[in-house]
Amino acid sequence: FSADGRFLAYISDRDGIENVYVHDMSSTDTSADKRIAPSESAQIMPAWAPDGKLIAFQDQTGATQLAEVATGKISLLAPATFFPGRPAFSPNGKTVAIATINPYVKRFREGTSDILMVDLATKKTKFYPPAPYESVTTRTEDGPIYAPNGKEMAFVLEDLLYTMPVD
């Protein structure tokens, strides 16, 4: 749901490939739902920015993209990684966190599932390990997710829920 609860972002392949659609919750008719950023590349794991102007998602290469809701313009947020998790916007909308592989070396994809932080203004990225030599349990739905006050983020590690402070 968008922060104001008026819209729902979801994935559908009704036009032949998985893409992000937005549904106006005041309507029961889904035929008018808007394909936010039509693409021939599959799109999964949508997440709303707090102001409702952007939706982050992954494409079929594993890259995390940003779509402007009003225009459908797509820009790269984070380069492709092996099966990244759902993006999570900070409450102030300045940072996006993504659970993804932090490879040990550039030649292989093996590594730990760390939390990649992306600054929206500069696109600078930095990995944060959930714990030394440990991984977020799964990257799909085990976090990270920000607390509403923006001071902590939660994630699952070894099947237990953890939080860590963020600034």
Side-chain angles (χ1 to χ4, degrees), residues 124-135:
K124 288 185 181 179
T125 61
K126 184 174 180 183
F127 278 102
Y128 290 89
Y133 308 105
E134 297 289 341
S135 288

Side-chain angles (χ1 to χ4, degrees), residues 108-152:
F108 303 103
R109 70 176 183 208
E110 286 76 15
T112 54
S113 293
D114 291 348
I115 298 168
L116 178 65
M117 305 293 281
V118 184
D119 181 290
L120 281 178
T122 65
K123 301 293 194 283
K124 288 185 181 179
T125 61
K126 184 174 180 183
F127 278 102
Y128 290 89
Y133 308 105
E134 297 289 341
S135 288
V136 174
T137 300
T138 66
R139 294 181 301 276
T140 54
E141 297 293 338
D142 285 339
I145 188 165
Y146 283 90
N149 65 10
K151 295 182 182 199
E152 292 180 294

